[in-house]
């Protein structure tokens, strides 16, 4: 299939380990897609959905113990432990290869090994990276087909000797005790075994684009980030591009596809979606930061997605979409909690069991129709708001970087950093409540710097230094902001309406970038004068706005102590600039 000797040799070696019955090279054609779909229907990997109502759509269920990323089974495997840093699980490459080999050994007997050449970023762009994933899952092939650019054109780009990331995946027996997600940045390799869940197995996504990506970015002087990219077109037609980092299941997809709310319609804003999960950003000759989305599709959270919260997503997933772990309705369509339409009277739930509304388990807990981390995979090109700069090899210039988390208390609706280094500190102190996107206790607040805690492929202390250095290398750095759509009142009700209404906050952000609006100096950064947030058509009261923008001295004192504990874990790898910003914040809060 290829004249790339190294690639052929590696495929042969991996096949000798996994012992598939057959090896199939993926060319990316329509014919091949049809063949694979047919095959997956036959094996039961996919279920065909109602083709009249959902043309080209399929349904997939993962194993019940395999529904989210497993961070405790995810490792950075570097020769030196210190290179993985205190926030990552570490294993030596020798041990990791040995342990995983035992599981991979013979794992593909009776199965086919698919060879997927893929490009993260437009094929042929000098910013793109090529990988080859070997997998025994048709579900993975069909998802990679949507999420990345695959097949013949990529192989051509590889030529006879170009470098690529070696990605090996096998479902093996889907046993959680024999599951490992291993990254070998020094070998440009990823090994994933024992899982069939998205983030663990679509190896171009979190594994290559973020964990290895961040490692490479540090070396080459750019940034690989867990960020959406969007363009906000203002009434004059000028488009300001924003990159925003929120932890998993904290609103990136929703913000990236935002539709202006009724009250702001007359202003004529328009949103353009560039990406919803990952940004690769470089400094160009103009001294600005330019970003591309290395992906070509959405792997989005289904629950909560409906025509009110995210009409663009609903339009995107009408066709050619793979639904994973949602509720299957008797008419061959799908549903999820807080989705469109009435709650169906029956269906087959994500576990493959008959389901009716109101069902509870032995402990009295609600049984979900769709898993809270159920997802849709759909092509970016189907999104009504898709940006026409998606295939541009250069990407888009970023004017604002926005950090945000899910915090019931503390963080105000929006604030702006005083300068780049302070903004990096804001990112480094991000925290958020745990969601269903990762295995573990839900709702618990954890530190998640730049939303990269699970995705930074090297020592996070060094990662902070890299961010600081990037700022120094830019003549024209983006301004840095922090947002929180999730602040609650005493009764646990969200204070801010969120979703489309978030444009009101973006308006302030872009006006700040273009020096069109003043701000109020607070100890944590610049906050808006409430009068500068346009609330036309909203019934949010003055008191609520005051609560949303409040900086509570006592809460912040606690926060500063907590930050200190977190920073201690980095020891001497914590850059002095972060310590300085921490001390400055402490002083400003004490004086407040
Ligand atoms: P990953 O794909 O896991 O990286 O997540 P994401 O950041 O793209 O998250 P997504 O946009 O899918 O949001 C997930 C959850 O956040 C859903 O339950 C949404 O309903 C909820 N959400 C998104 N935006 C808002 C908002 O502005 N306010 C509130 N209250 N909830 C929101
Ligand atoms: C996330 O968990 O941040 C996701 C989904 O975007 S996954 O691809 O599973 O990582
Ligand atoms: Mn994500």
């Amino acid at each position: 299939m290829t004249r790339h000797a190294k690639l052929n040799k590696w495929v042969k070696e991996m096949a000798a380990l996994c012992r598939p019955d057959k090896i199939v090279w993926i060319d990316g054609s329509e014919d091949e897609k049809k063949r694979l779909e047919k095959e997956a229907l036959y094996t039961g990997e996919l279920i065909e959905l109602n083709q009249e109502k959902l043309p080209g759509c399929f349904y997939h269920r993962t194993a019940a113990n395999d529904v989210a990323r497993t961070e405790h089974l995810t490792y950075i495997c570097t020769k030196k432990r210190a290179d993985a840093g205190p926030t990552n699980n570490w294993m030596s490459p020798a041990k990791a290869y040995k342990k995983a080999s035992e599981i991979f050994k013979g794992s593909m007997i009776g199965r086919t090994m698919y060879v997927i050449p893929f490009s993260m970023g437009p094929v042929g762009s000098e910013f793109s990276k090529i990988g080859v994933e070997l997998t025994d899952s048709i579900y993975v092939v069909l998802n990679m087909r949507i999420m990345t650019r695959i097949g013949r054109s990529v192989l051509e780009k590889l030529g006879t000797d170009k470098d690529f990331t070696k990605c090996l995946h096998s479902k093996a027996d889907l046993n959680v005790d024999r599951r490992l997600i291993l990254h070998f940045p020094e070998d440009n390799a990823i090994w994933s075994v024992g899982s069939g869940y998205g983030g663990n197995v679509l190896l171009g996504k979190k594994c290559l684009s973020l964990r290895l990506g961040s490692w490479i970015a540090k070396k080459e002087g750019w940034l690989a980030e867990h960020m959406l990219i969007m363009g906000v077109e203002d009434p004059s037609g000028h488009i300001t591009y924003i990159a925003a980092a929120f932890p998993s299941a904290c609103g990136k997809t929703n913000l990236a596809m935002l539709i202006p709310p009724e009250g702001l319609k007359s202003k004529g804003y328009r949103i353009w979606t560039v990406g919803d999960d990952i940004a690769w950003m470089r400094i160009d000759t103009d001294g600005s930061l330019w970003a591309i989305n290395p992906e070509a599709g959405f792997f989005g959270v289904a629950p909560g997605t409906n025509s009110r919260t995210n009409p663009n997503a609903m339009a995107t997933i009408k066709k050619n979409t793979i639904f994973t772990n949602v509720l299957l309705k008797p008419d061959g369509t799908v549903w999820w909690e807080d989705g469109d339409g009435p709650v169906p009277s029956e269906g087959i739930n994500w576990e493959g069991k008959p389901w009716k509304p109101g069902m509870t388990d032995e402990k009295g807990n609600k049984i979900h129709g769709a898993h809270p981390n159920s997802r849709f995979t759909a092509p970016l090109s189907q999104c009504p708001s898709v940006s026409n700069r998606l295939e541009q090899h250069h990407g888009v210039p970023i004017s604002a970087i926005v950090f945000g988390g899910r915090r019931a208390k503390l963080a105000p609706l929006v604030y702006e950093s005083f300068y780049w280094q302070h903004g990096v500190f804001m990112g480094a102190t991000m925290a958020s409540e745990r969601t269903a996107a990762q295995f573990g206790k839900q709702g618990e607040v954890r530190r998640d710097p730049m939303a990269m805690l699970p995705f930074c492929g090297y020592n996070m202390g060094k990662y902070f230094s890299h961010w600081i250095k990037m700022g120094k290398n830019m003549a024209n750095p983006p301004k840095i902001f922090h947002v929180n759509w999730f602040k609650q009142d005493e009764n646990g009700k969200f204070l801010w309406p969120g979703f489309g209404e978030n444009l009101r906050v973006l308006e302030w952000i872009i006006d700040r970038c273009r020096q069109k609006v003043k701000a109020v100096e607070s100890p944590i950064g610049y906050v808006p004068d409430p009068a500068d947030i346009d609330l036309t058509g909203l019934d949010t009261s003055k008191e609520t706005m005051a609560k949303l923008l409040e900086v509570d001295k006592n809460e912040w004192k606690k926060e500063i102590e907590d930050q200190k504990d977190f920073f201690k874990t980095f020891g001497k790898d914590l850059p002095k600039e972060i310590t300085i910003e921490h001390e400055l914040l402490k002083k400003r809060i004490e004086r407040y």
Side-chain angles (χ1 to χ4, degrees), residues 353 359-367:
K353 295 179 185 156
M359 280 170 81
T360 53
D361 63 15
E362 355 21 285
K363 289 185 200 141
N365 296 323
K366 186 179 155 197
I367 296 180

Side-chain angles (χ1 to χ4, degrees), residues 206 226 246-255 276-277 299-301 303-305 309 373 375 406 437 485-486 494 496-499 502:
K206 296 299 167 42
H226 191 203
F246 309 154
S248 304
C250 290
K252 290 186 297 301
T253 306
N254 279 272
L255 193 68
D276 81 323
D277 201 45
F299 183 61
V301 177
T305 308
T309 56
N373 191 40
R375 301 230 166 205
R406 193 181 270 271
W485 317 136
F486 299 92
F494 290 126
W496 179 249
F499 302 100
N502 294 334

Side-chain angles (χ1 to χ4, degrees), residues 146-273:
I146 298 173
M147 296 306 296
T148 74
R149 287 100 168 158
I150 66 166
R152 201 180 294 278
S153 60
V154 180
L155 217 46
E156 274 163 19
K157 272 286 151 226
L158 263 184
T160 55
D161 59 357
K162 258 190 86 177
D163 209 17
F164 64 97
T165 305
K166 302 183 281 288
C167 307
L168 176 65
H169 166 250
S170 172
K171 295 180 283 188
D173 56 5
L174 294 174
N175 181 341
V176 66
D177 298 325
R178 285 153 48 79
R179 180 176 302 160
L180 288 168
I181 321 297
L182 307 171
H183 304 74
F184 304 93
E186 288 149 348
D187 299 343
N188 198 11
I190 301 159
W191 279 22
S192 160
V193 70
S195 173
Y197 168 73
N200 289 340
V201 301
L202 307 178
L203 300 184
K205 196 173 176 58
K206 296 299 167 42
C207 302
L208 193 162
S209 293
L210 290 180
R211 296 197 191 96
L212 291 199
S214 60
W215 173 284
I216 299 166
K218 162 101 166 66
K219 247 187 6 201
E220 296 179 352
W222 49 281
L223 292 167
E225 299 298 327
H226 191 203
M227 290 181 177
L228 67 90
I229 309 166
M230 68 195 294
V232 183
E233 182 177 327
D234 70 17
S236 71
H238 183 277
I239 305 179
T240 305
Y241 290 94
I242 296 176
F246 309 154
S248 304
C250 290
K252 290 186 297 301
T253 306
N254 279 272
L255 193 68
M257 296 186 190
L258 181 151
I259 289 183
E262 218 35 65
L264 287 195
K265 274 229 167 93
S266 61
K267 282 192 165 171
Y269 280 101
R270 192 160 179 187
I271 301 301
W272 298 105
T273 308

Side-chain angles (χ1 to χ4, degrees), residues 50 86 133 160 175 214 281 294 304 333 358 366 381 503 515 560:
N50 185 323
E133 178 163 355
T160 55
N175 181 341
S214 60
M281 306 192 285
T333 63
K366 186 179 155 197
S381 59
L503 178 60
Q515 281 146 9
I560 288 165

